[in-house]
Amino acid sequence: MDYLKNFVIPFVGLSTGEHQFDYEIDDEFFASFEYSEIQRANVRVNITLDKSERMMVLSFYMVGTLEVICSRCAGEFDLPIEGEEILYIKYGQEYKEEDDNIIIVPENESQINVAPFIYDYLSLMVPYRVVHPDDENGQSTCDPDIISRIATTIEKKDIDPRWDKLKDLNID
């Protein structure tokens, strides 16, 4: 069975008003997406679907951890995440994305797959540059062996003496 079928919400039979959907996002979820940078996760997603006559509003609340790779020492750690997103779904002639959070689905559509939206929302919660958090004393929790190797490599690096002449230039 296709794992992502668990994320299809059949909205045609739902009455107007609010409906709750809860999902546990784990490693299998991200493995279902080709080229996913996130490999491991433990996230709870709560979706409130507010259905009206001409549109639906999906409110996503996500909380948990995503395993990420530190940009400084390349060590893995769990990044705590928490966030909310809102997706507006209108009915129209054909599928179309009007905005980042507004989509139009054909009037004859009977279900929506929320997996791509969850994937995008969680992926966007990971900062561009991720580093291990500091401990309670303000010290880095990066791998000290890797950090010392980086520092040693930087110190040993010979500087081309031709670049020293540029220091003498006065650009004022």
Side-chain angles (χ1 to χ4, degrees), residues 132-143:
H132 279 94
D134 292 342
D135 64 12
E136 59 276 351
N137 298 324
Q139 301 297 316
S140 172
T141 58
C142 282
D143 184 343

PDB file of all heavy atoms in Angstrom, residues 132-143:
ATOM      1  N   HIS A 132      24.364  23.066  15.972  1.00  0.00           N
ATOM      2  CA  HIS A 132      23.987  22.538  17.275  1.00  0.00           C
ATOM      3  C   HIS A 132      23.676  23.700  18.227  1.00  0.00           C
ATOM      4  O   HIS A 132      24.384  24.712  18.220  1.00  0.00           O
ATOM      5  CB  HIS A 132      25.144  21.736  17.889  1.00  0.00           C
ATOM      6  CG  HIS A 132      25.257  20.342  17.362  1.00  0.00           C
ATOM      7  ND1 HIS A 132      26.082  20.017  16.312  1.00  0.00           N
ATOM      8  CD2 HIS A 132      24.663  19.196  17.761  1.00  0.00           C
ATOM      9  CE1 HIS A 132      26.004  18.723  16.083  1.00  0.00           C
ATOM     10  NE2 HIS A 132      25.137  18.190  16.939  1.00  0.00           N
ATOM     11  N   PRO A 133      22.669  23.550  19.053  1.00  0.00           N
ATOM     12  CA  PRO A 133      22.383  24.606  20.025  1.00  0.00           C
ATOM     13  C   PRO A 133      23.456  24.635  21.116  1.00  0.00           C
ATOM     14  O   PRO A 133      24.126  23.627  21.371  1.00  0.00           O
ATOM     15  CB  PRO A 133      21.025  24.197  20.594  1.00  0.00           C
ATOM     16  CG  PRO A 133      20.938  22.728  20.365  1.00  0.00           C
ATOM     17  CD  PRO A 133      21.732  22.442  19.126  1.00  0.00           C
ATOM     18  N   ASP A 134      23.632  25.785  21.727  1.00  0.00           N
ATOM     19  CA  ASP A 134      24.570  25.907  22.842  1.00  0.00           C
ATOM     20  C   ASP A 134      23.985  25.238  24.079  1.00  0.00           C
ATOM     21  O   ASP A 134      22.758  25.134  24.225  1.00  0.00           O
ATOM     22  CB  ASP A 134      24.855  27.384  23.149  1.00  0.00           C
ATOM     23  CG  ASP A 134      25.641  28.053  22.020  1.00  0.00           C
ATOM     24  OD1 ASP A 134      26.241  27.320  21.200  1.00  0.00           O
ATOM     25  OD2 ASP A 134      25.646  29.295  21.975  1.00  0.00           O
ATOM     26  N   ASP A 135      24.867  24.805  24.977  1.00  0.00           N
ATOM     27  CA  ASP A 135      24.392  24.209  26.229  1.00  0.00           C
ATOM     28  C   ASP A 135      23.990  25.310  27.207  1.00  0.00           C
ATOM     29  O   ASP A 135      24.029  26.504  26.872  1.00  0.00           O
ATOM     30  CB  ASP A 135      25.437  23.260  26.830  1.00  0.00           C
ATOM     31  CG  ASP A 135      26.725  23.962  27.247  1.00  0.00           C
ATOM     32  OD1 ASP A 135      26.754  25.217  27.292  1.00  0.00           O
ATOM     33  OD2 ASP A 135      27.712  23.252  27.538  1.00  0.00           O
ATOM     34  N   GLU A 136      23.634  24.938  28.425  1.00  0.00           N
ATOM     35  CA  GLU A 136      23.153  25.914  29.408  1.00  0.00           C
ATOM     36  C   GLU A 136      24.233  26.915  29.819  1.00  0.00           C
ATOM     37  O   GLU A 136      23.933  27.986  30.343  1.00  0.00           O
ATOM     38  CB  GLU A 136      22.598  25.200  30.654  1.00  0.00           C
ATOM     39  CG  GLU A 136      23.575  24.299  31.375  1.00  0.00           C
ATOM     40  CD  GLU A 136      23.680  22.897  30.782  1.00  0.00           C
ATOM     41  OE1 GLU A 136      22.888  22.531  29.906  1.00  0.00           O
ATOM     42  OE2 GLU A 136      24.589  22.166  31.199  1.00  0.00           O
ATOM     43  N   ASN A 137      25.510  26.603  29.555  1.00  0.00           N
ATOM     44  CA  ASN A 137      26.610  27.516  29.868  1.00  0.00           C
ATOM     45  C   ASN A 137      27.007  28.377  28.672  1.00  0.00           C
ATOM     46  O   ASN A 137      27.998  29.099  28.740  1.00  0.00           O
ATOM     47  CB  ASN A 137      27.831  26.725  30.355  1.00  0.00           C
ATOM     48  CG  ASN A 137      27.530  25.966  31.626  1.00  0.00           C
ATOM     49  OD1 ASN A 137      26.784  26.434  32.483  1.00  0.00           O
ATOM     50  ND2 ASN A 137      28.091  24.770  31.741  1.00  0.00           N
ATOM     51  N   GLY A 138      26.277  28.255  27.584  1.00  0.00           N
ATOM     52  CA  GLY A 138      26.585  29.041  26.398  1.00  0.00           C
ATOM     53  C   GLY A 138      27.693  28.445  25.545  1.00  0.00           C
ATOM     54  O   GLY A 138      28.199  29.090  24.640  1.00  0.00           O
ATOM     55  N   GLN A 139      28.074  27.207  25.827  1.00  0.00           N
ATOM     56  CA  GLN A 139      29.122  26.526  25.067  1.00  0.00           C
ATOM     57  C   GLN A 139      28.509  25.729  23.923  1.00  0.00           C
ATOM     58  O   GLN A 139      27.448  25.149  24.067  1.00  0.00           O
ATOM     59  CB  GLN A 139      29.922  25.590  25.984  1.00  0.00           C
ATOM     60  CG  GLN A 139      30.589  26.285  27.153  1.00  0.00           C
ATOM     61  CD  GLN A 139      31.632  27.289  26.695  1.00  0.00           C
ATOM     62  OE1 GLN A 139      32.425  27.012  25.809  1.00  0.00           O
ATOM     63  NE2 GLN A 139      31.608  28.476  27.274  1.00  0.00           N
ATOM     64  N   SER A 140      29.212  25.678  22.813  1.00  0.00           N
ATOM     65  CA  SER A 140      28.743  24.930  21.652  1.00  0.00           C
ATOM     66  C   SER A 140      28.670  23.448  21.979  1.00  0.00           C
ATOM     67  O   SER A 140      29.526  22.912  22.676  1.00  0.00           O
ATOM     68  CB  SER A 140      29.695  25.150  20.474  1.00  0.00           C
ATOM     69  OG  SER A 140      29.351  24.294  19.405  1.00  0.00           O
ATOM     70  N   THR A 141      27.655  22.778  21.460  1.00  0.00           N
ATOM     71  CA  THR A 141      27.536  21.330  21.641  1.00  0.00           C
ATOM     72  C   THR A 141      27.966  20.582  20.387  1.00  0.00           C
ATOM     73  O   THR A 141      27.694  19.388  20.246  1.00  0.00           O
ATOM     74  CB  THR A 141      26.090  20.937  22.026  1.00  0.00           C
ATOM     75  OG1 THR A 141      25.197  21.385  21.010  1.00  0.00           O
ATOM     76  CG2 THR A 141      25.695  21.508  23.367  1.00  0.00           C
ATOM     77  N   CYS A 142      28.666  21.284  19.486  1.00  0.00           N
ATOM     78  CA  CYS A 142      29.211  20.626  18.299  1.00  0.00           C
ATOM     79  C   CYS A 142      30.274  19.618  18.728  1.00  0.00           C
ATOM     80  O   CYS A 142      30.851  19.727  19.818  1.00  0.00           O
ATOM     81  CB  CYS A 142      29.843  21.648  17.358  1.00  0.00           C
ATOM     82  SG  CYS A 142      28.658  22.572  16.372  1.00  0.00           S
ATOM     83  N   ASP A 143      30.560  18.677  17.855  1.00  0.00           N
ATOM     84  CA  ASP A 143      31.571  17.662  18.115  1.00  0.00           C
ATOM     85  C   ASP A 143      32.929  18.349  18.310  1.00  0.00           C
ATOM     86  O   ASP A 143      33.476  18.932  17.370  1.00  0.00           O
ATOM     87  CB  ASP A 143      31.626  16.688  16.933  1.00  0.00           C
ATOM     88  CG  ASP A 143      32.579  15.535  17.145  1.00  0.00           C
ATOM     89  OD1 ASP A 143      33.440  15.603  18.037  1.00  0.00           O
ATOM     90  OD2 ASP A 143      32.440  14.543  16.401  1.00  0.00           O
TER      91      ASP A 143
END
